[in-house]
Amino acid sequence: MKIAITTSSFARYSEEPLDLLREFGAEIVLNDRGRTLTEDEAAKFLADCDGVVAGTEPLTRKVMENCPNLKVISRCGAGMDSVDRAAAEDLGIAVRNTPDAPTVAVAELTVGLMLSLLRQVAPMDRDIRSGVWKKRMGNLLFGKKVGIVGFGRIGHAVAERLQAFGVSLAYADPYVEDPAYERRELDELMGWADVITLHCAKLGGGTSLLDRGRLSRMRPGGVILNIARGGLIDEDALCGLLTAGHLAGAALDVYSHEPYDGPLKHLDSVILTPHIGSYAREARIIMETETVKNLISAFQDGTVHA
């Protein structure tokens, strides 16, 4: 049985996931390109594989139809935007993911970036490195109104951690009703909050959830974070509102196109990280191990046949 691993950093911190595959008797093929595969590259790489430990490469119908042996896609992560699940169902390919493993890592990163934005940590770090000693006045997180867009596992984990900071919390999510927290409609939330943080799924059709109109609803001096999915925010509109001074800052870990090479790079009020929400060593090991266990169990539980 041939199993492909497309995430280029897989098993960097623990051999346990690879050991599990070896014990299962798998022939392992690794992505040695050091980056996310394109659609054509994925089709070629997976052509004769029985299963894949998948990253964020596009696993489209075209890719799957080019892989007649493929029986299991096991996503290393929670997001499923890169997998055509309808095609997988049509072709009898089992699909798994790890929705719980990245939760704490993403929640902690969110709170850290929120504090860094408000206290202007990143620009002062850049100042000192360029020989400038400048004390920038920041803001407290205490007392702020924080709006969470998407209140699943990660959104809820962010809310739990923010309670210790003395903030007012509300969320927008049409699929969740949590009486412990205040729920608001998205447009209302945008105008209410000082801080907006995104933890929701991506819309279909390439439309940004937060377009210029919705971003403009934010209060002057507000900050926004996207640690969820690239494309949720209209990045050009965000850049314009930051440049105009309507928004005070933004932190992005995901982008419409990755690697990111757009105008937000040139704004001092923006923190950019390279899609590292789950990149805490402990969380990564758990996530990779769960991904492999999910793949193996799909073969063993009768869902698919080797």
Side-chain angles (χ1 to χ4, degrees):
M1 181 184 302
K2 193 171 185 179
I3 303 298
I5 298 176
T6 59
T7 59
S8 58
S9 61
F10 195 85
R12 182 175 295 173
Y13 303 106
S14 172
E15 284 282 312
E16 182 181 356
L18 295 180
D19 289 340
L20 288 170
L21 284 173
R22 294 182 186 114
E23 290 170 10
F24 185 55
E27 175 190 351
I28 302 169
V29 289
L30 300 172
N31 171 15
D32 60 1
R33 293 179 179 269
R35 59 169 173 79
T36 302
L37 299 176
T38 66
E39 182 182 32
D40 288 341
E41 289 170 341
K44 183 176 180 180
F45 187 62
L46 303 175
D48 60 348
C49 291
D50 300 283
V52 55
V53 172
T56 57
E57 67 282 344
L59 296 178
T60 61
R61 183 177 294 273
K62 173 185 172 182
V63 171
M64 296 180 204
E65 288 178 344
N66 193 63
C67 305
N69 298 333
L70 189 62
K71 300 175 182 67
V72 182
I73 295 170
S74 187
R75 264 284 289 125
C76 189
M80 300 295 285
D81 301 328
S82 59
V83 181
D84 187 334
R85 284 178 281 181
E89 184 175 359
D90 291 344
L91 296 168
I93 299 171
V95 178
R96 303 285 186 271
N97 69 337
T98 57
D100 296 308
T103 298
V104 172
V106 176
E108 288 190 359
L109 178 64
T110 300
V111 175
L113 289 173
M114 204 175 288
L115 291 166
S116 295
L117 276 175
L118 291 170
R119 295 301 298 271
Q120 300 196 52
V121 172
M124 286 188 284
D125 173 77
R126 290 191 289 267
D127 284 344
I128 291 176
R129 292 173 188 273
S130 63
V132 176
W133 185 266
K134 179 182 179 181
K135 298 181 181 181
R136 298 176 183 244
M137 185 60 69
N139 292 279
L140 294 176
L141 180 54
F142 175 81
K144 294 292 182 293
K145 297 176 180 178
V146 179
I148 302 174
V149 181
F151 212 58
R153 295 174 179 85
I154 293 173
H156 198 273
V158 170
E160 289 178 337
R161 284 152 180 78
L162 287 175
Q163 286 181 320
F165 289 91
V167 303
S168 298
L169 285 167
Y171 74 93
D173 192 319
Y175 306 106
V176 175
E177 185 66 54
D178 189 333
Y181 296 92
E182 181 181 0
R183 180 181 178 183
R184 292 172 177 257
E185 294 301 316
L186 179 56
D187 287 344
E188 181 189 2
L189 188 77
M190 296 298 294
W192 171 82
D194 302 299
V195 180
I196 290 287
T197 180
L198 301 179
H199 302 287
C200 56
K202 187 177 178 181
L203 296 173
T207 303
S208 297
L209 178 66
L210 302 188
D211 56 14
R212 184 177 298 276
R214 280 204 169 119
L215 290 170
S216 298
R217 288 177 177 268
M218 290 186 67
R219 302 171 70 174
V223 301
I224 188 165
L225 301 90
N226 185 10
I227 324 294
R229 300 286 179 270
L232 284 172
I233 296 178
D234 182 330
E235 292 161 5
D236 291 335
L238 175 63
C239 187
L241 290 167
L242 288 163
T243 302
H246 179 73
L247 297 181
L252 284 79
D253 184 52
V254 290
Y255 311 89
S256 298
H257 300 285
E258 298 180 5
Y260 179 73
D261 189 28
L264 291 170
K265 292 198 315 182
H266 307 296
L267 298 185
D268 211 25
S269 57
V270 179
I271 300 175
L272 305 173
T273 51
H275 203 148
I276 47 87
S278 66
Y279 274 60
R281 184 187 300 262
E282 301 88 345
R284 194 73 191 175
I285 292 171
I286 292 170
M287 186 167 66
E288 291 176 351
T289 303
E290 285 187 4
T291 302
V292 169
K293 288 180 177 179
N294 285 343
L295 183 143
I296 292 171
S297 69
F299 284 105
Q300 292 181 332
D301 66 8
T303 304
V304 298
H305 301 283

